[in-house]
């Protein structure tokens, strides 16, 4: 962040120096004000595109490694882990049942078991705790 601030400070300082060097008063009389507005707008647009590109080009995180020790200590079954992954994807109980070929009541039972084993009372809490324990990506 400091590097970005210093970079933009340097750009602004060079711009200020450039305006003084080009004798600002002469240029104001030589060109209409629309030219300056266009140049300033183009500079801000180019800066915005550059910053957007830099922010979007972040490195991807490493591949996910499941915490098998936490899975074993909590006693989660494979089916419960599948249900937990689909909960994290934002699916409803009916969608989870359809995906896994289970009845909705079985999914409700798995969700209740997950709540008990993770010691939570809501879906969001279960997902948050599972991510903290590295059970799901």
């Amino acid at each position: 962040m400091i590097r970005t601030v210093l970079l933009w400070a340097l750009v602004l300082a060079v711009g200020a120096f450039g305006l003084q060097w080009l004798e600002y008063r002469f240029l104001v009389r030589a060109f209409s004000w629309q030219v300056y507005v266009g140049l300033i707008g183009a500079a801000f647009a180019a800066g915005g595109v550059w910053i957007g590109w830099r922010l979007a080009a972040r490195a991807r995180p490493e591949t996910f490694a499941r915490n098998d020790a936490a899975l074993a200590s909590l006693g989660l079954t494979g089916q419960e882990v599948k249900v937990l992954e689909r909960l994290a994807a934002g699916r409803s109980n009916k969608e989870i049942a359809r995906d896994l070929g289970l009845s909705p009541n079985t999914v409700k039972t798995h969700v209740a078991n997950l709540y008990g084993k993770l010691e939570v009372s809501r879906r969001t809490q279960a997902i948050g705790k599972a991510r903290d324990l590295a059970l799901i990506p």
Side-chain angles (χ1 to χ4, degrees), residues 118-129:
L118 293 173
E119 298 175 352
V120 296
S121 59
R122 295 189 182 111
R123 285 178 183 239
T124 55
Q125 292 173 339
I127 294 165
K129 189 162 185 179

Side-chain angles (χ1 to χ4, degrees), residues 66-137:
R66 188 170 306 231
N67 186 352
D68 293 327
L71 277 176
S73 68
L74 291 172
L76 294 178
T77 64
Q79 199 72 352
E80 289 171 344
V81 172
K82 290 178 186 176
V83 170
L84 183 60
E85 289 170 346
R86 283 160 178 80
L87 282 177
R91 300 200 176 243
S92 67
N93 286 351
K94 288 183 182 181
E95 291 172 328
I96 295 170
R98 197 175 321 121
D99 287 349
L100 298 177
L102 303 172
S103 73
N105 287 333
T106 304
V107 172
K108 288 180 188 176
T109 302
H110 286 311
V111 170
N113 289 341
L114 283 169
Y115 288 174
K117 291 177 180 180
L118 293 173
E119 298 175 352
V120 296
S121 59
R122 295 189 182 111
R123 285 178 183 239
T124 55
Q125 292 173 339
I127 294 165
K129 189 162 185 179
R131 285 193 173 133
D132 289 343
L133 294 173
L135 301 176
I136 56 175

Side-chain angles (χ1 to χ4, degrees), residues 38-59:
L39 289 174
I40 291 171
F44 273 98
V49 168
W50 180 75
I51 288 174
W53 178 73
R54 294 287 299 210
L55 291 175
R58 292 183 179 164

